[in-house]
Amino acid sequence: MEMQRGTKCHDGWLAIIIVVGILVIDQIVKIMVKTNMSLRESIFITDWFQINFIENNGMAYGMTFLNKVVLSVFRIIASGFIGYYIYKLVHLKHRTCYVVMLSMVLAGAIGNLFDSMFYGLIFTESTPYTVSQFVPFGTGYAPFLMGKVVDMFYFPLIITTWPDWVPVWGGDEFIFFSPVFNFADASISVGVVLLLLFCRKDLESFTVVLFHGTKWEKNAKGINAEKEKKENA
């Protein structure tokens, strides 16, 4: 019992450390880019990697298909659900790797949410001609929840041209990988991919753990105990 409690406590702190660590890295990179580069300015690192400062109103990798306020509220609700789920999970039987991957997704979601919540309140607007600066809280370029998300990582791994015989895109430039993203986006993507690869069975219990928690674990233990009795009989 003491070992189990120690594991629960350990994984709870591990989740906090992962979330805080990713948030700190994400915000340091974003603030450095925003306060030292003008909008759409690029820094060439290699042929396949550039720092390209852009801002967007949308989700990961610049996707935009929801109203800004709706998207921000959705992020708050989603982050709250994931955070509460991790809290419930670490008090039940679980795998540490599952907690780690969920924490990566949570940290990424909070990282981009932080931009939307506060960047409009504490920064001047970035433009192609001016570099953003810190301003007194509440005097920035946008109200609460309306700040723009900062992106900067650009990996044009392959730059070529579609063959002329290809319908629609023939003769057009083709770039792989074209989206510009940030550290929070990468954390979400890596976390989701790892969850789908290694924790699909864990994900099946998401709603059960979220809404039933300890009751579900007791029922599972009872079922396992009955199976053991039958096997030993």
Side-chain angles (χ1 to χ4, degrees), residues 34 39 55 123-127 130-133 140-142 148:
K34 189 165 180 64
L39 191 64
E55 292 182 315
F123 287 113
T124 57
E125 187 172 10
S126 296
T127 74
T130 59
V131 176
S132 180
Q133 297 179 341
Y141 68 87
K148 296 178 181 179

Side-chain angles (χ1 to χ4, degrees), residues 138-167:
T139 62
Y141 68 87
F144 184 64
L145 293 180
M146 295 298 289
K148 296 178 181 179
V149 176
V150 175
D151 292 328
M152 74 292 294
F153 297 132
Y154 179 46
F155 288 88
L157 301 177
I158 299 174
I159 302 178
T160 185
T161 303
W162 286 102
D164 292 334
W165 52 265
V166 175

Side-chain angles (χ1 to χ4, degrees), residues 72-92:
S72 296
V73 172
F74 171 78
R75 282 198 187 114
I76 293 172
I77 295 172
S79 298
F81 264 101
I82 298 172
Y84 180 66
Y85 176 72
I86 293 174
Y87 170 78
K88 298 271 285 189
L89 182 67
V90 297
H91 289 83
L92 302 172

